Amino acid sequence: MKTIIHKANTRGHANHGWLESYHSFSFANYYNPERMSFGALRVFNDDYVEPKMGFGTHPHNNMEIISIPLSGALSHKDSMDNKKAITTGEVQAMSAGSGLTHSEFNDSKTEKANFFQLWIVPNELNVSPQYEQKYFEEADRKDTLQVLVSPVDSKENGSLKIHQDAQISRIILTEGNTFKYTLKSENHGLYTMNIDGNISIDKHILDKRDALGVWETSEVKLTANTTSDVLLVEVPMTL
């Protein structure tokens, strides 16, 4: 088993006034040659958007983009004529493919919006752009793995689909409980982000917003030292 730990206070940080962002991997003006990606996981940003502010219309192509609001809501508009609010509890998956433009704004007058945005390198280029979003019940992930995102050819029911042999899951693990995650193949690794709480993986202890990448193993064991909300991102390690 190989591991790499990313403590919360070692992430890249940018404060633009209207946006405060923490980068697990090199992004925009944050560059760290030792943090370019974790396999197919290219970007993992923890963004806080001020009220009545947001991202203006901008382009993407050939990237799988997943947004997970943790508090507040974002209004989304794109060149595929999608105009929707993404609220806490929902997940958005967008295949940029051959190219699209979109914008995201926090319409609240008083509340910050906090969301994760992940970029995953696709296994197929120039597909037709696609968009999905769905609400996932919190109760359905208590001490049970809830699959949010899976490959387009997956038989996983109820999950959003992306063009990569990757899976994004979430679990709320009750204090004292243990969960064993089985990886798909020897070529897959697991990037675990502790959203909140305190968990142990192998000899590593993860506090709020700490992350651990694990690969060259068939199984990863998580133990909740306190009740914890955990996001698990399984991706191919070689492309």
Side-chain angles (χ1 to χ4, degrees):
M1 177 190 290
K2 291 185 178 179
T3 61
I4 185 166
I5 191 164
H6 292 160
K7 301 295 286 185
N9 62 2
T10 68
R11 295 178 295 175
H13 177 236
N15 192 336
H16 302 286
W18 65 274
L19 167 70
E20 188 167 16
S21 185
Y22 295 87
H23 311 308
S24 294
F25 305 104
S26 294
F27 185 84
N29 293 327
Y30 168 63
Y31 175 72
N32 182 338
E34 296 182 355
R35 291 196 183 186
M36 296 305 298
S37 66
F38 179 79
L41 178 60
R42 176 60 189 86
V43 168
F44 196 128
N45 289 345
D46 186 1
D47 289 343
Y48 296 79
V49 182
E50 291 291 327
K52 303 301 292 182
M53 303 299 288
F55 301 86
T57 302
H58 57 282
H60 290 286
N61 62 72
N62 289 320
M63 194 65 69
E64 305 298 300
I65 301 169
I66 299 94
S67 297
I68 305 173
L70 301 174
S71 64
L74 294 169
S75 291
H76 167 93
K77 295 181 182 180
D78 64 39
S79 53
M80 296 178 284
D81 293 326
N82 293 299
K83 297 180 181 180
K84 298 182 178 181
I86 316 164
T87 62
T88 304
E90 290 187 303
V91 178
Q92 176 200 80
M94 189 166 59
S95 296
S98 57
L100 56 79
T101 60
H102 76 134
S103 63
E104 295 163 304
F105 278 88
N106 178 7
D107 287 333
S108 173
K109 295 180 180 179
T110 58
E111 184 183 5
K112 284 186 182 182
N114 175 214
F115 73 107
F116 287 158
Q117 187 167 96
L118 287 67
W119 294 7
I120 293 177
V121 177
N123 58 13
E124 183 178 357
L125 298 180
N126 298 318
V127 300
S128 296
Q130 298 172 21
Y131 178 96
E132 288 185 288
Q133 77 181 64
K134 180 182 175 180
Y135 181 80
F136 290 86
E137 292 286 351
E138 180 177 329
D140 292 342
R141 57 179 173 266
K142 290 187 176 179
D143 293 312
T144 301
L145 193 71
Q146 183 183 59
V147 179
L148 310 177
V149 176
S150 62
V152 291
D153 59 356
S154 167
K155 295 181 180 179
E156 188 70 45
N157 292 326
S159 60
L160 306 180
K161 304 302 182 183
I162 60 171
H163 296 273
Q164 183 53 273
D165 188 17
Q167 180 171 291
I168 301 175
S169 309
R170 192 169 175 179
I171 187 171
I172 297 175
L173 201 57
T174 305
E175 181 176 352
N177 282 1
T178 293
F179 179 79
K180 292 181 180 180
Y181 187 103
T182 302
L183 283 85
K184 293 184 177 187
S185 77
E186 294 180 357
N187 184 45
H188 282 75
L190 186 69
Y191 192 79
T192 302
M193 169 64 74
N194 189 21
I195 300 172
D196 200 7
N198 182 283
I199 62 172
S200 296
I201 301 176
D202 193 28
K203 298 177 182 178
H204 301 283
I205 296 176
L206 305 185
D207 288 311
K208 181 178 180 178
R209 296 306 205 267
D210 291 346
L212 183 74
V214 178
W215 68 106
E216 294 190 6
T217 186
S218 60
E219 186 178 83
V220 179
K221 180 181 175 182
L222 294 77
T223 301
N225 303 316
T226 66
T227 296
S228 300
D229 189 358
V230 185
L231 192 73
L232 303 109
V233 185
E234 182 180 356
V235 291
M237 297 303 290
T238 57
L239 301 175

